[in-house]
Amino acid sequence: MVAKEVTILCKTGLESKMAAKLIQKASEYESNIWIQKDERKANAKSLLGLLSLGISPGDTITIITDGRDEETALNELEAFAKNGMTD
């Protein structure tokens, strides 16, 4: 299991459209992926879970990956978040 903190840079935060993009990206990996904000954690492949975190622009989240491709998933999801959730 590996984890890394990332600041959300997209100007809308993690509302439904950005959450859907994150889910699409996270679903490319075999690993289990969670997003944590403060004390709450949600499956990165679940729209309802991500929306329940209430992630706003500028918030710092922790991406947690666990599985065979955890390092690749973590590095690529970090880059994805740093690019404003665009490829």
Side-chain angles (χ1 to χ4, degrees):
M1 182 182 302
V2 291
K4 193 173 282 189
E5 285 192 352
V6 177
T7 301
I8 297 299
L9 301 176
C10 58
K11 40 188 169 193
T12 60
L14 216 57
E15 47 76 46
S16 58
K17 186 175 180 182
M18 287 296 132
K21 286 184 176 189
L22 178 59
I23 291 165
Q24 187 175 21
K25 185 73 173 169
S27 295
E28 295 175 6
Y29 307 101
E30 186 179 311
S31 293
N32 292 314
I33 303 169
W34 295 275
I35 303 297
Q36 183 172 337
K37 179 187 171 202
D38 301 324
E39 300 301 315
R40 300 190 65 208
K41 185 162 71 170
N43 183 335
K45 299 176 185 179
S46 164
L47 181 61
L48 191 56
L50 288 177
L51 293 177
S52 74
L53 295 176
I55 298 170
S56 301
D59 284 351
T60 298
I61 61 167
T62 303
I63 301 171
I64 305 163
T65 59
D66 183 28
R68 223 172 69 200
D69 57 356
E70 63 188 26
E71 290 287 343
T72 301
L74 182 62
N75 292 332
E76 291 182 7
L77 287 168
E78 177 190 20
F80 183 68
K82 285 183 176 179
N83 286 334
M85 305 247 178
T86 59
D87 289 328

